[in-house]
Amino acid sequence: MVTDMLKTKDILDEKDKRLRLVSKEVTFPMEKEDIDHINEMIEYLTNSQIEEEAEKYDLRPGMGMAAIQLGIPKRYLTIVHEVEDGFDTYVIVNPKIISNSVEKIYVEEGEGCLSVNREVDGIVPRFARVTVEGYDTDGNQIRIRAREELAIAFQHEIDHLNGVMFYDHIDPKDPFKGQNEYRAI
């Protein structure tokens, strides 16, 4: 483990106005610095979901991260999704949701964010299934079909690239509005 690995303190807090920026499209070939940031994001997200590593390095658990959360206003994100036999890692540059389900879902215990260091009550309606198109780090077009938890992660991270925080989707007058219309996961 390298000593200069990404730490929780390196992630922008919700009070930082840069999180409200709309990130810029990435041009190819990608800069080495951006590839390095992607690798740091993957390392952080993976280690943060392994209990011993998270404790050892004082990492807040997270599944996804957008470049803007590190103060980099560029359109790329990483998701490290825990599966039965390890992790599936997704890196997508210039992502766009090209289709979605009609069905909406929400995270029953509430959505969280590495940039939000507090509990936020309320329903964040998300599409149950999405198809995301974008590019890998070499500029090859990719398409990912995601459902349930993974679909929520893609929508959450793409929101970051557009300057949107998850709690922007919560109705301030009725935080649990839609609870009976959407499926909890």
Side-chain angles (χ1 to χ4, degrees):
M1 197 56 55
V2 278
T3 53
D4 64 340
M5 71 181 260
L6 198 57
K7 304 272 194 308
T8 300
K9 67 174 178 51
D10 299 322
I11 299 168
L12 298 186
D13 182 79
E14 66 179 306
K15 294 175 195 79
D16 194 307
K17 289 178 175 31
R18 290 176 288 177
L19 286 170
R20 294 303 188 164
L21 294 173
V22 175
S23 296
K24 305 262 186 275
E25 292 270 315
V26 174
T27 55
F28 294 97
M30 287 186 77
E31 295 174 24
K32 182 191 180 310
E33 184 181 37
D34 288 319
I35 302 292
D36 291 345
H37 288 306
I38 287 169
N39 291 327
E40 290 169 354
M41 291 160 71
I42 292 168
E43 180 184 38
Y44 179 97
L45 294 170
T46 304
N47 289 335
S48 79
Q49 295 180 71
I50 301 169
E51 204 171 320
E52 310 79 56
E53 297 292 315
E55 278 181 33
K56 181 176 175 182
Y57 296 106
D58 192 27
L59 307 176
R60 284 188 59 218
M63 174 178 176
M65 193 182 303
I68 192 61
Q69 289 180 276
L70 299 178
I72 304 161
K74 294 184 179 179
R75 297 187 78 80
Y76 60 83
L77 61 85
T78 60
I79 293 174
V80 177
H81 185 218
E82 191 167 5
V83 291
E84 217 171 282
D85 55 348
F87 296 97
D88 285 342
T89 300
Y90 301 88
V91 175
I92 189 159
V93 181
N94 299 335
K96 287 182 177 61
I97 295 173
I98 59 160
S99 68
N100 56 262
S101 62
V102 173
E103 181 189 17
K104 289 198 172 177
I105 59 177
Y106 66 93
V107 180
E108 192 163 26
E109 64 273 5
E111 217 165 287
C113 178
L114 289 169
S115 292
V116 179
N117 298 304
R118 61 187 173 93
E119 290 291 318
V120 178
D121 289 330
I123 301 274
V124 181
R126 301 285 192 185
F127 297 112
R129 292 170 303 286
V130 293
T131 301
V132 180
E133 264 187 9
Y135 300 89
D136 65 15
T137 54
D138 295 322
N140 301 307
Q141 190 165 23
I142 54 174
R143 178 181 283 195
I144 300 164
R145 288 196 171 99
R147 52 187 305 126
E148 307 281 320
E149 185 180 56
L150 187 58
I152 289 172
F154 273 108
Q155 291 167 83
H156 179 110
E157 300 311 329
I158 290 170
D159 272 355
H160 273 306
L161 300 178
N162 294 319
V164 176
M165 300 294 285
F166 76 90
Y167 50 71
D168 295 344
H169 296 286
I170 298 171
D171 185 326
K173 291 183 184 74
D174 182 4
F176 293 93
K177 181 179 177 179
Q179 190 165 15
N180 300 325
E181 299 167 47
Y182 313 126
R183 181 166 53 88
I185 66 161

